[in-house]
Amino acid sequence: MSEATAVSGARILAHVEALARCSEQSDGLTRVFLSEEHRAANELALRWMREAGMDARVDAMGNVVGRYEATRPGMPCLMLGSHLDTVRDAGKYDGMLGVVTAIECVHALHARGQRLPFALEVLGFGDEEGVRFGATLIGSRAVAGTFRREVLDAVDRDGISLREALRRFDLEPARIGEATKRREDVLAYAELHIEQGPVLEAEGLPVGVVTAISGANRYAVEIDGVAGHAGTVPMPLRQDAMAAAAECVLAVERRACAEPELVGTVGKLECLPGAVNVVPGRVKFTIDVRSPDDGARLAAAADLVREIQAICDRRGVQGRIAKTHEGKTAPCAGWLQAQIGEAIAAEGLPVRRLPSGAGHDGMAMIDLADIGMLFVRCEKGISHNPAEAITLADVETGARVFLRFIERFDPARKT
Amino acid sequence: MSEATAVSGARILAHVEALARCSEQSDGLTRVFLSEEHRAANELALRWMREAGMDARVDAMGNVVGRYEATRPGMPCLMLGSHLDTVRDAGKYDGMLGVVTAIECVHALHARGQRLPFALEVLGFGDEEGVRFGATLIGSRAVAGTFRREVLDAVDRDGISLREALRRFDLEPARIGEATKRREDVLAYAELHIEQGPVLEAEGLPVGVVTAISGANRYAVEIDGVAGHAGTVPMPLRQDAMAAAAECVLAVERRACAEPELVGTVGKLECLPGAVNVVPGRVKFTIDVRSPDDGARLAAAADLVREIQAICDRRGVQGRIAKTHEGKTAPCAGWLQAQIGEAIAAEGLPVRRLPSGAGHDGMAMIDLADIGMLFVRCEKGISHNPAEAITLADVETGARVFLRFIERFDPARKT
């Protein structure tokens, strides 16, 4: 296919590498919102957007926005994008691959002088990870119109507020409303992203269609037993907080295994006082439960709260369970899943549908427009880590599928 | 009983309080081997020993030794004692109660002008806890003749060796052999100590006869799974080190519960990397297994090593198990248990036999002589903690029983 050969995996990777050099550390990649490195990354993206035939600018929240007009100007747009910020000591692809691939797709259309019946807008969001100010999705919330102004008072670790950081970035906090798009101007939002999980690799597939960005519940659990001497307290007289917590860890695992797309994790656990010869008196741990099905997630969370309480009651220890987060699922629109699936099938590949257990800008963009996502396989599912890796072949496959989706995008099929 | 009224619980507690003021910290109790506080505690003990009619001196390892002659001088002795050093931020009774009570018992005999057919020697060991030089039982090993001279090279946290510390304490390292007693001069070693466990309190008993100082095996376990994103790695693709460790914790508990005097503890557990949204890739934990029955302990330890390996194999994670300690049981001699039991029964109290899960000077003294121990109830079994507590009534009961045991001690009944 002539249009398929027009995207260059090599150029995508070169651009990813160039962005990776915009880092606050020389021996790895960290780039936070409204930093000088962010400014440098925006400059690169603006240049590539203009080379791809787009009008490009930085919006009122520091996002880069490139617009490629339709056959006639002023038409509603298909929005494409991802984020340009990173976690600390990050990989190179999380976020950036989506921005760079979207630009590359427009570049391919521009190279052929091809215009579509709708405009394209490519967004490079300034904040998705939330590293600097502790609030995630600042960039996409500004575009979707759901940014809460109290976040302007959030401060980074140097005590600089978001309000002040915007000013230092030559942006005016009073004008951030100008970053918000009108719903009637947006046909849909589509994002390409690395999977950040092992499913596609395990099944030997380069790409997949995302069904939903899973909702999540998080809990902080504290169990208070009674500390004691490991030699002198007989087993029947113990109130061992660690043994109780171990039962809870296995209860989380067992409940999550009971349904196919549910996941449950005890990721953090502290055992106190923490000495080889002391029966643990206190254990603190976290629970993270996610599912693309809100009902399944809420039922599992409720079951676990009950089960942990029952374990603690039976063992004569005190359990305190505090919900620290609850976020609902952001479903990907069926009509966008269908069109992304068709683009994959047209490449002769099986269409694998899978949920995204990780959060993405679509969680904010869904308040503006229907969302769709294309996942690209990454090595061992590793992400948020310098070891994040992807093959050139998969970069090219992802870009070909994404371009095909864009070219054949049909907003009339929205149901 | 006239001899029973001759011991003063109030004086014992006053002496315990006086010793507690020999501390390196003003807001709590810490007294380590060969410190200035140790010197001050020895001075107090020497004075009280002399007031109780004993010849008293500091031996070549810094232990205080008081001798109360028999009806004729130079007879073999019944040794009584415990330790004068403490852990950091210690309780007041662990060790000290045994030394002070033994002195009080001699004081009672002396007040009546009573001599026994055997000599009494009261020892206040300078090091049992091992806080300063990382080697435990230094005082009692010197007396038993099992002190290893390479320990002289051990250094404290300021880099001062034991050899140098002895010199600063006005002792000559070349002469530590002089602290060793000859076997033929010692009839038995008997120690009164707080239980440091909750058994006597749970059963409403002030005292108990120790059957053995339990042997112990300790292990350091490391489990390597694969870290992953808590949202993106489906349950069947996980190699969760924390879930595997949780199974091991419960296996330790279950195995220990299978036999009455076996205890098993996972006291320390680290979960890495330790983030709410990351599947744990590595967990490190410790296992401590104790029993007064060496066969039961070794069988349980072997079972646990096998079971942990099986858990890891089944879950596809790597388990590494290293034995960090193995110490055999020090049984209390049957004839001493019998005589201590008779002294308890003579007070009209039930004779409860129980093992000591904590270590004591008897573990070293057993190489010199048969050992016996009397436990006294302490509040909630708390020890190695400023909250360590004991009632005046229990102090007096313990002292009465110990004096009765001493008076009626009959080495001819040794079997």
Side-chain angles (χ1 to χ4, degrees):
Chain A
M1 310 265 309
S2 65
E3 70 269 356
T5 54
V7 287
S8 163
R11 185 161 45 219
I12 291 171
L13 287 183
H15 287 176
V16 164
E17 292 298 327
L19 286 171
R21 287 190 290 272
C22 304
S23 172
E24 68 181 57
Q25 66 197 105
S26 59
D27 60 341
L29 172 54
T30 301
R31 185 172 60 244
V32 302
F33 187 34
L34 302 178
S35 60
E36 285 310 303
E37 300 76 37
H38 180 195
R39 194 191 295 276
N42 277 2
E43 289 300 324
L44 289 175
L46 289 168
R47 192 177 83 210
W48 299 330
M49 285 171 165
R50 287 167 188 148
E51 287 169 2
M54 287 183 264
D55 291 326
R57 63 192 170 83
V58 173
D59 77 9
M61 193 55 105
N63 304 309
V64 284
V65 185
R67 183 172 169 96
Y68 186 72
E69 291 291 355
T71 39
R72 56 190 177 87
M75 296 292 283
C77 71
L78 169 62
M79 293 190 103
L80 311 170
S82 193
H83 60 95
L84 289 171
D85 68 320
T86 74
V87 295
R88 297 200 181 277
D89 206 22
K92 299 170 185 170
Y93 306 98
D94 173 7
M96 286 76 85
L97 183 70
V99 179
V100 166
T101 302
I103 295 171
E104 180 64 19
C105 289
V106 178
H107 188 278
L109 295 172
H110 178 61
R112 292 180 224 143
Q114 187 179 351
R115 298 273 168 186
L116 300 172
F118 45 86
L120 294 173
E121 287 200 8
V122 177
L123 281 123
F125 296 113
D127 175 87
E128 186 255 18
E129 303 285 4
V131 170
R132 183 167 180 188
F133 295 103
T136 58
L137 303 169
I138 294 176
S140 44
R141 284 197 210 280
V143 172
T146 56
F147 176 77
R148 292 177 300 111
R149 292 194 64 86
E150 59 263 37
V151 177
L152 287 170
D153 298 319
V155 292
D156 68 9
R157 60 188 183 185
D158 297 321
I160 298 167
S161 68
L162 171 54
R163 180 179 287 104
E164 174 61 21
L166 284 165
R167 290 201 178 109
R168 293 185 190 188
F169 208 76
D170 308 314
L171 297 170
E172 172 45 52
R175 298 177 65 177
I176 52 177
E178 295 175 14
T180 303
K181 293 291 287 188
R182 297 189 305 169
R183 292 185 67 87
E184 56 268 35
D185 290 337
V186 183
L187 300 169
Y189 170 75
E191 177 168 353
L192 175 147
H193 203 284
I194 59 167
E195 181 195 343
Q196 303 182 279
V199 174
L200 295 173
E201 185 179 69
E203 300 185 13
L205 298 171
V207 292
V209 184
V210 178
T211 56
I213 302 169
S214 292
N217 274 31
R218 286 183 181 167
Y219 298 88
V221 183
E222 290 189 18
I223 295 180
D224 279 314
V226 176
H229 191 298
T232 63
V233 187
M235 302 307 288
L237 295 183
R238 294 190 177 195
Q239 291 157 280
D240 182 335
M242 185 62 234
E247 261 199 80
C248 298
V249 169
L250 294 176
V252 170
E253 185 188 48
R254 192 168 47 243
R255 184 64 182 80
C257 286
E259 289 175 55
E261 290 186 330
L262 187 67
V263 288
T265 307
V266 173
K268 191 172 177 180
L269 187 144
E270 277 181 281
C271 175
L272 303 165
V276 60
N277 60 344
V278 179
V279 178
R282 180 176 239 205
V283 174
K284 300 195 266 190
F285 63 94
T286 59
I287 302 175
D288 179 308
V289 177
R290 306 190 199 197
S291 168
D293 176 337
D294 283 337
R297 166 177 53 86
L298 294 172
D303 285 352
L304 285 174
V305 167
R306 265 194 306 272
E307 189 165 355
I308 289 167
Q309 207 54 69
I311 289 166
C312 291
D313 289 350
R314 180 164 40 73
R315 287 179 168 270
V317 297
Q318 296 296 314
R320 285 187 303 287
I321 309 170
K323 182 157 64 185
T324 53
H325 171 79
E326 179 158 337
K328 66 183 201 303
T329 293
C332 292
W335 65 281
L336 292 168
Q337 289 187 50
Q339 293 186 33
I340 293 168
E342 287 161 18
I344 293 170
E347 286 288 326
L349 293 165
V351 180
R352 173 62 152 106
R353 290 167 195 274
L354 74 169
S356 172
H360 296 290
D361 289 300
M363 292 160 70
M365 296 300 282
I366 199 167
D367 290 321
L368 178 68
D370 282 354
I371 64 167
M373 286 192 77
L374 175 68
F375 265 173
V376 181
R377 167 171 57 191
C378 62
E379 190 178 311
K380 294 179 186 162
I382 293 168
S383 186
H384 285 192
N385 188 301
E388 208 174 78
I390 177 171
T391 65
L392 174 60
D394 285 355
V395 167
E396 290 186 332
T397 301
R400 278 202 308 273
V401 170
F402 206 55
L403 176 55
R404 198 183 289 267
F405 160 74
I406 293 164
E407 286 180 294
R408 300 189 182 180
F409 174 69
D410 182 0
R413 288 172 60 198
K414 176 170 176 177
T415 47
Chain B
M1 310 268 304
S2 65
E3 71 267 355
T5 54
V7 287
S8 162
R11 185 161 45 219
I12 290 171
L13 287 182
H15 286 178
V16 164
E17 292 298 327
L19 286 172
R21 286 190 290 273
C22 304
S23 172
E24 68 181 56
Q25 66 197 103
S26 59
D27 60 341
L29 173 54
T30 301
R31 183 170 62 244
V32 303
F33 188 35
L34 302 178
S35 60
E36 284 311 303
E37 300 76 38
H38 179 195
R39 194 191 295 274
N42 277 3
E43 289 300 326
L44 288 175
L46 289 169
R47 193 176 84 209
W48 300 329
M49 285 171 165
R50 287 168 188 146
E51 287 169 3
M54 288 183 264
D55 291 326
R57 63 190 170 86
V58 173
D59 78 7
M61 193 54 105
N63 304 309
V64 283
V65 186
R67 183 172 168 96
Y68 186 73
E69 291 291 355
T71 39
R72 57 190 177 86
M75 296 291 283
C77 69
L78 169 62
M79 292 190 101
L80 312 169
S82 193
H83 58 94
L84 289 172
D85 66 322
T86 74
V87 296
R88 296 200 181 279
D89 205 22
K92 298 171 185 170
Y93 306 98
D94 173 8
M96 284 76 84
L97 183 69
V99 179
V100 167
T101 302
I103 295 171
E104 179 64 19
C105 289
V106 178
H107 188 277
L109 295 172
H110 177 61
R112 291 181 227 144
Q114 185 180 351
R115 299 271 170 189
L116 301 172
F118 44 88
L120 294 173
E121 288 201 6
V122 177
L123 281 122
F125 296 113
D127 175 88
E128 186 254 18
E129 302 285 5
V131 170
R132 182 165 179 189
F133 296 103
T136 58
L137 302 169
I138 293 176
S140 45
R141 283 195 209 283
V143 173
T146 56
F147 175 78
R148 293 176 300 110
R149 294 194 62 85
E150 59 264 37
V151 177
L152 287 170
D153 299 319
V155 291
D156 69 7
R157 59 189 184 183
D158 297 322
I160 298 167
S161 69
L162 171 54
R163 179 179 288 104
E164 174 61 20
L166 283 165
R167 290 200 178 110
R168 294 186 189 187
F169 208 75
D170 307 314
L171 297 170
E172 171 47 51
R175 299 178 65 177
I176 53 178
E178 295 175 12
T180 303
K181 295 289 288 185
R182 297 189 307 169
R183 294 184 67 86
E184 56 268 36
D185 291 338
V186 183
L187 301 169
Y189 170 75
E191 177 167 352
L192 174 148
H193 203 284
I194 58 166
E195 181 196 344
Q196 304 183 279
V199 174
L200 294 173
E201 184 178 68
E203 300 185 13
L205 298 171
V207 293
V209 183
V210 178
T211 56
I213 302 169
S214 292
N217 274 30
R218 287 183 181 168
Y219 298 88
V221 184
E222 289 190 17
I223 295 181
D224 279 314
V226 177
H229 191 297
T232 64
V233 187
M235 301 307 288
L237 296 182
R238 294 190 177 193
Q239 291 156 280
D240 182 334
M242 186 62 235
E247 262 199 79
C248 298
V249 170
L250 294 176
V252 170
E253 185 188 50
R254 193 167 47 243
R255 184 64 181 80
C257 285
E259 288 174 58
E261 291 186 328
L262 186 68
V263 287
T265 307
V266 173
K268 191 172 176 180
L269 186 144
E270 275 182 281
C271 175
L272 304 166
V276 60
N277 61 342
V278 178
V279 178
R282 179 175 240 206
V283 173
K284 301 196 265 190
F285 63 94
T286 59
I287 301 175
D288 180 306
V289 178
R290 307 191 198 197
S291 169
D293 177 337
D294 284 336
R297 167 177 52 86
L298 294 172
D303 284 352
L304 285 174
V305 167
R306 266 194 305 273
E307 189 165 354
I308 288 167
Q309 206 55 69
I311 289 166
C312 291
D313 289 350
R314 180 164 41 74
R315 287 179 168 271
V317 297
Q318 296 295 315
R320 285 186 304 285
I321 309 170
K323 182 158 63 186
T324 53
H325 171 78
E326 179 159 337
K328 65 182 200 306
T329 292
C332 293
W335 66 281
L336 292 168
Q337 289 186 51
Q339 294 186 33
I340 293 168
E342 287 160 18
I344 293 171
E347 287 289 327
L349 293 165
V351 180
R352 173 62 153 104
R353 291 168 193 272
L354 73 169
S356 171
H360 295 292
D361 289 299
M363 293 161 70
M365 295 301 284
I366 200 167
D367 289 321
L368 177 68
D370 282 353
I371 64 168
M373 286 191 78
L374 175 67
F375 266 173
V376 181
R377 167 169 59 188
C378 61
E379 189 177 309
K380 293 180 186 161
I382 293 168
S383 185
H384 285 192
N385 188 303
E388 208 175 79
I390 177 170
T391 65
L392 173 60
D394 285 356
V395 167
E396 290 186 333
T397 302
R400 277 201 309 272
V401 169
F402 207 54
L403 177 55
R404 197 183 291 267
F405 160 74
I406 293 165
E407 288 181 291
R408 302 190 182 179
F409 174 68
D410 182 1
R413 288 172 60 198
K414 176 170 178 176
T415 49

